[in-house]
Amino acid sequence: MYSMVPTALLALVSLVGTTSGLAINREDSPSLNISVGGSINPIGTPINGLPSSGSPSASPSGTISRRSCRKSAPYADPHTIDPLIFVGADELCKDHKTYEDGDYYCQKVDQVIYTNVASTGDYREVAYMNQETGECRFADVNRTFSGDLAPFNEPVTLIFRGPIHLKQLGVYYPSGAGSFSRNHYYNAATQTSQGLTFLGNRGGEGSGVVGGPFGASLSYINPQASGGSSTPQILANEIITGEFLVMTDQDCDFASCGYVRPGAIAKKGFAGTDRLFLLEFSMPHTGGDLLAIWLENARVPYTQQYGGCSCWDSGCGEFDIFEILHAGYERAETTFHLDPPAGDANWFQRPINQNAPLKIAVWFDPVDGGTASVKVLGTSDGVEFGGQLNAGEVGELKRRSDGVVSETDYAVRRGQV
């Protein structure tokens, strides 16, 4: 079944357009000039012979989003494609799919697994930004990536869009003999923050910069993520309705971060291939209600998170972990914004009860070409995430869920199977 679909259907995915989820708010300023290989092109004009998108984005400004210079746009929405086209024998979708508000939904699951995530490719890397003229210059030679989990073997930032009440966050790395150590930690109840920095696009409000076509840069944020701050703050123990980013507390250097917009507050992302993120959160119905949790290549917000002056359009990587595609819905889906994109039509139950937050594990494992997993661990048991996970605990987290599991071979999406 898979061998019959790769080329034509991957091309079909590339023509779907902008996503109805996170990426639809990615705005390209009409006055921004993009330089590719030394030549400057205004946003919305052809680059390398490729036309700009003809579909308006769903952003508040109604601007036009420029298509990627790659074979298939990383913001194409795989959820709009019938899942049976790709996974004809998938019993989870075969008799249970519905099509609602432009997207497909199949069944409630307890885990989503993507295998063979390893990829080889390249993306455009920002080399210069002029905040007065709006010139954005990319490097003459694209940055290449390869290996297990590429490009997710590069540093990433963790991004949250409310309404969300984040109770705990732990980031773990291998520490030998099968165990993992917690290098970064946040606990809302105790107001503990270890090795983390909370940031937002609030430049000019105490830190960072603002002005010109690039808008506000990264900055420190206040505890409610409703404004900027001049110093690092700990996220409040309450429902956050806005958006915020989480990075390490280590200052950027060029070797680790690449180019950073002048004046922006920039911290290093979470690097490595073998990484574990443990999260505890609730998502009550309040605020804008288009909430999500996602991982993004840290090079994107260092320059312009929402706009054309970043590597995002050219496919440097985003993984939507837990995303509500439509306001008011209680089904969260996953999406890989790569080339080509991949998304699972099966869904997780949104934890709307603030008194019963959900715990999940997001795992990146370099075995078998790279495996990415989002696994529901259940509602909160009141236990804090430990500073050390022994080999047995790690094995339990890695173990396939006893519940309903959806598994996608990403090599199929690339047409390699």
Side-chain angles (χ1 to χ4, degrees), residues 346-361:
N346 298 293
W347 48 273
F348 299 113
Q349 181 65 52
R350 169 181 173 176
I352 61 172
N353 186 350
Q354 193 176 355
N355 296 317
L358 188 70
K359 285 186 174 181
I360 67 170

Side-chain angles (χ1 to χ4, degrees), residues 253-304:
D253 55 69
F254 186 79
S256 300
C257 302
Y259 183 84
V260 173
R261 177 181 173 181
I265 299 297
K267 301 291 183 177
K268 292 181 182 180
F270 304 106
T273 53
D274 203 349
R275 288 164 291 180
L276 169 66
F277 299 84
L278 293 181
L279 300 96
E280 181 183 10
F281 60 93
S282 62
M283 294 176 160
H285 284 292
T286 183
D289 220 33
L290 271 175
L291 61 171
I293 303 171
W294 73 102
L295 286 164
E296 190 168 79
N297 192 308
R299 291 175 181 265
V300 176
Y302 291 152
T303 54
Q304 189 183 25

Side-chain angles (χ1 to χ4, degrees), residues 208-226:
V209 294
V210 68
F214 299 123
S217 76
L218 281 180
S219 73
Y220 299 122
I221 55 172
N222 64 26
Q224 293 75 33
S226 58

Side-chain angles (χ1 to χ4, degrees), residues 63-399:
T63 55
I64 302 300
S65 294
R66 187 167 63 72
R67 277 199 181 278
S68 165
C69 292
R70 298 169 71 81
K71 294 178 182 178
S72 58
Y75 48 72
D77 185 5
H79 300 293
T80 64
I81 302 297
D82 188 337
L84 296 186
I85 291 178
F86 292 113
V87 196
D90 188 348
E91 295 300 325
L92 294 180
C93 289
K94 191 171 183 180
D95 300 314
H96 303 91
K97 65 185 175 99
T98 61
Y99 188 67
E100 304 173 35
D101 294 327
D103 290 292
Y104 281 96
Y105 295 88
C106 291
Q107 288 198 58
K108 176 180 176 293
V109 295
D110 299 285
Q111 184 178 19
V112 172
I113 303 172
Y114 294 91
T115 58
N116 285 310
V117 178
S119 182
T120 299
D122 61 88
Y123 59 79
R124 295 178 302 148
E125 187 176 9
V126 175
Y128 172 77
M129 300 174 73
N130 188 312
Q131 299 183 141
E132 294 182 0
T133 67
E135 179 185 358
C136 175
R137 190 181 305 158
F138 290 90
D140 291 337
V141 178
N142 284 359
R143 181 179 178 86
T144 60
F145 57 83
S146 62
D148 296 331
L149 291 164
F152 290 96
N153 52 4
E154 297 188 4
V156 297
T157 180
L158 189 57
I159 309 176
F160 299 83
R161 175 182 293 155
I164 185 168
H165 191 171
L166 181 62
K167 301 293 292 184
Q168 284 192 93
L169 166 64
V171 185
Y172 295 78
Y173 291 92
S175 54
S179 63
F180 272 60
S181 293
R182 191 188 70 197
N183 290 26
H184 311 280
Y185 182 61
Y186 164 72
N187 186 306
T190 62
Q191 285 293 278
T192 300
S193 179
Q194 299 173 346
L196 294 175
T197 307
F198 297 96
L199 302 170
N201 293 292
R202 296 282 184 171
E205 301 177 19
S207 59
V209 294
V210 68
F214 299 123
S217 76
L218 281 180
S219 73
Y220 299 122
I221 55 172
N222 64 26
Q224 293 75 33
S226 58
S229 171
S230 59
T231 58
Q233 302 290 316
I234 298 177
L235 194 71
N237 182 22
E238 61 186 62
I239 298 172
I240 303 297
T241 58
E243 182 178 303
F244 60 94
L245 300 84
V246 183
M247 294 186 177
T248 72
D249 61 351
Q250 302 170 26
D251 292 333
C252 267
D253 55 69
F254 186 79
S256 300
C257 302
Y259 183 84
V260 173
R261 177 181 173 181
I265 299 297
K267 301 291 183 177
K268 292 181 182 180
F270 304 106
T273 53
D274 203 349
R275 288 164 291 180
L276 169 66
F277 299 84
L278 293 181
L279 300 96
E280 181 183 10
F281 60 93
S282 62
M283 294 176 160
H285 284 292
T286 183
D289 220 33
L290 271 175
L291 61 171
I293 303 171
W294 73 102
L295 286 164
E296 190 168 79
N297 192 308
R299 291 175 181 265
V300 176
Y302 291 152
T303 54
Q304 189 183 25
Q305 185 177 343
Y306 294 109
C309 193
S310 79
C311 63
W312 192 90
D313 277 353
S314 55
C316 58
E318 174 180 313
F319 180 26
D320 298 335
I321 297 166
F322 207 96
E323 177 184 15
I324 302 297
L325 300 179
H326 306 284
Y329 274 42
E330 295 184 3
R331 288 166 288 179
E333 296 192 342
T334 66
T335 311
F336 264 111
H337 291 286
L338 291 173
D339 186 10
D344 198 293
N346 298 293
W347 48 273
F348 299 113
Q349 181 65 52
R350 169 181 173 176
I352 61 172
N353 186 350
Q354 193 176 355
N355 296 317
L358 188 70
K359 285 186 174 181
I360 67 170
V362 180
W363 191 276
F364 287 90
D365 195 332
V367 301
D368 299 327
T371 298
S373 165
V374 182
K375 180 181 179 181
V376 173
L377 304 178
T379 55
S380 177
D381 52 8
V383 176
E384 293 187 0
F385 298 149
Q388 191 78 14
L389 299 174
N390 61 39
E393 292 169 324
V394 172
E396 183 63 24
L397 288 169
K398 280 190 173 185
R399 186 176 64 84

